[in-house]
């Protein structure tokens, strides 16, 4: 089994260089891979990277508000 750690939306946001609200929006509207663990949504960064490479984050038009 995969021993990769589960990470939070904040960790995913830092990894991708976007704000956490973008991560939440992508999960809800674009299918960013995440799994509900209790009350929290967690992801594996390898799954997120694969989703990005497959074009999951394409067509996002909010360029200025995503950078922090």
């Amino acid at each position: 089994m995969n021993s990769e750690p589960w990470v939070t939306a904040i960790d995913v946001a830092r990894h991708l260089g976007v704000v956490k609200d973008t991560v939440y929006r992508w999960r809800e509207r674009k299918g960013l891979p995440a799994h509900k663990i209790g009350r929290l949504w967690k992801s594996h960064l390898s799954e997120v990277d694969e989703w990005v490479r497959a074009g999951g984050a394409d067509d996002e038009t909010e360029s200025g508000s995503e950078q922090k």
Side-chain angles (χ1 to χ4, degrees):
M1 189 76 201
N2 189 352
S3 63
E4 181 179 356
W6 292 99
V7 298
T8 66
I10 293 170
D11 298 321
V12 172
R14 284 185 192 132
H15 179 70
L16 296 176
V18 298
V19 296
K20 70 178 179 179
D21 290 341
T22 299
V23 173
Y24 295 143
R25 187 170 49 254
W26 285 347
R27 181 186 53 79
E28 292 172 8
R29 299 180 187 168
K30 295 183 163 242
L32 182 134
H35 306 274
K36 194 162 187 178
I37 301 173
R39 297 181 317 147
L40 304 174
W41 287 93
K42 302 277 188 156
S43 299
H44 282 134
L45 292 178
S46 62
E47 291 179 356
V48 172
D49 288 342
E50 186 176 316
W51 176 82
V52 169
R53 285 186 190 102
D58 287 353
D59 297 327
E60 191 63 42
T61 58
E62 300 173 9
S63 59
S65 65
E66 293 178 8
Q67 298 296 324
K68 237 186 179 179

